[in-house]
Amino acid sequence: MATYPTQYAQREALVETDWLEKHLKDEGIRIVESNEDVLLYDTRHIPGAVHIDWRADLQDPVIRDYISPEKFAELCSRNGITPDTTCIFYGDKANWWGCYALWAFRLFGHEKVKILNGGRDKWKAEGRPMTREVPKYQKTNYPVPKKRFDKEIRAFFDEALAQSKSGKPLIDVRSPGEYKGEITHMPEYPQEGVLRGGHIPGAKSMPWKTATNDDATFKPASELAKIYFDQCGVGPEKNTIVYCRIGERSSHTWFVLTYLLGLDNVRNYDGSWTEWGNKVGAPIEKSA
């Protein structure tokens, strides 16, 4: 009979709301809000939090790719972040974008990263302090990262295709309707230009929200292990690729597998379905 972990592999990667409220002014931390709704920060946010716009701050304005190491260093410097700063990420949508920003920081090698368990919604629901005041931090001189960790935590089309052909773990974290090809976008979202629906052949369907409780916090380690080890076939000996639409929901699953279940062989295919569904010659399945 399988035995499951009774605690998270890296419990320190999660910050609880009650702890954060007591440590808002601690030296050495920077609270980072990143939302799907880029205007939400301006309505109210956690005191002291800086805003990182997932599109304007992290995406290259011309190429479909992330910013350069030089631009990342500029982003951190203007937000008062150094390599020794512990960045605590949170956001709307149960931390989709908080996890996406955390993953992007890891892409550039920033090691001290954490997630606020439950995100913006839990903080707000508990009536904790929020403000419209935009903090001002002294500019730092963040060194330009020597590399971007594309090979370590990021997957590209050819790698996802090879994963599919080899039958290795490939997890589609979108909604069941997207997976089946019944819709080409998230429910209640506009059509975003994907020509074909379906999923990558061989991919297992495991919607990202399977990993969360109703209050947007993460499920216990033992439950997460049953979901991903048993149902998705992931494990320490099997390289795994996760994907969604543009990599935001799959970064949430990447965080679960990497930090909460302790796997060091998981990569996020951020090209995801907006690339795969439009790619000439890309094979597609529509079966349930």
Side-chain angles (χ1 to χ4, degrees):
M1 185 174 181
T3 57
Y4 298 108
T6 57
Q7 57 186 1
Y8 298 131
Q10 298 186 49
R11 182 62 182 85
E12 68 279 7
L14 284 182
V15 169
E16 302 301 329
T17 51
D18 56 350
W19 183 93
L20 185 58
E21 184 173 358
K22 297 172 184 176
H23 295 269
L24 290 175
K25 297 182 179 180
D26 280 13
E27 293 290 334
I29 71 168
R30 183 69 69 245
I31 305 168
V32 178
E33 178 168 323
S34 190
N35 303 307
E36 178 183 70
D37 181 353
V38 297
L39 301 178
L40 196 56
Y41 174 86
D42 293 331
T43 64
R44 283 193 308 161
H45 51 267
I46 296 176
V50 299
H51 179 221
I52 289 185
D53 184 326
W54 67 271
R55 183 181 287 117
D57 291 328
L58 297 175
Q59 303 282 325
D60 186 282
V62 179
I63 304 169
R64 184 173 175 188
D65 202 353
Y66 296 98
I67 54 177
S68 66
E70 290 79 11
K71 291 293 185 182
F72 178 76
E74 292 176 10
L75 172 66
C76 289
S77 295
R78 70 171 178 263
N79 284 298
I81 296 170
T82 75
D84 290 325
T85 302
T86 297
C87 293
I88 301 174
F89 296 88
Y90 79 99
D92 62 356
K93 303 290 182 181
N95 277 329
W96 285 2
W97 302 97
C99 288
Y100 186 69
L102 180 149
W103 178 80
F105 267 59
R106 290 296 300 123
L107 196 63
F108 290 96
H110 192 91
E111 296 183 353
K112 296 185 176 182
V113 295
K114 300 176 185 289
I115 285 288
L116 176 63
N117 202 12
R120 181 186 171 96
D121 291 341
K122 186 171 187 288
W123 183 276
K124 184 178 179 181
E126 293 171 346
R128 299 187 186 275
M130 302 186 79
T131 182
R132 290 187 176 89
E133 181 180 352
V134 177
K136 301 293 184 183
Y137 295 108
Q138 184 174 354
K139 187 176 180 180
T140 60
N141 186 23
Y142 196 101
V144 176
K146 295 180 180 179
K147 61 175 286 188
R148 218 171 53 181
F149 288 78
D150 286 336
K151 291 183 179 179
E152 290 82 357
I153 66 170
R154 188 182 185 192
F156 294 87
F157 172 82
D158 289 345
E159 294 166 320
L161 180 61
Q163 191 86 354
S164 170
K165 289 181 177 180
S166 67
K168 293 179 181 178
L170 190 60
I171 305 175
D172 185 319
V173 312
R174 298 174 300 161
S175 66
E178 291 171 275
Y179 177 82
K180 295 174 184 177
E182 298 169 349
I183 54 177
T184 56
H185 51 88
M186 287 182 284
E188 302 178 2
Y189 277 66
Q191 165 59 262
E192 294 174 307
V194 177
L195 296 178
R196 299 177 299 164
H199 58 269
I200 300 175
K204 297 280 184 69
S205 176
M206 189 56 66
W208 69 274
K209 64 181 179 181
T210 311
T212 63
N213 299 305
D214 291 340
D215 64 354
T217 57
F218 294 99
K219 288 181 178 177
S222 59
E223 292 185 35
L224 295 175
K226 291 177 182 178
I227 292 167
Y228 294 103
F229 293 160
D230 286 358
Q231 298 181 50
C232 297
V234 306
E237 74 291 348
K238 302 175 184 178
N239 293 329
T240 297
I241 292 177
V242 294
Y243 75 93
C244 59
R245 178 182 57 100
I246 62 170
E248 85 291 9
R249 287 174 285 178
S250 50
S251 67
H252 186 279
T253 302
W254 175 88
F255 177 83
V256 170
L257 296 175
T258 302
Y259 283 90
L260 303 187
L261 291 180
L263 300 178
D264 62 1
N265 55 359
V266 182
R267 290 180 293 161
N268 184 18
Y269 171 35
D270 58 284
S272 284
W273 200 253
T274 53
E275 177 179 38
W276 195 282
N278 286 324
K279 185 84 169 178
V280 174
I284 287 176
E285 283 185 350
K286 289 180 177 285
S287 62

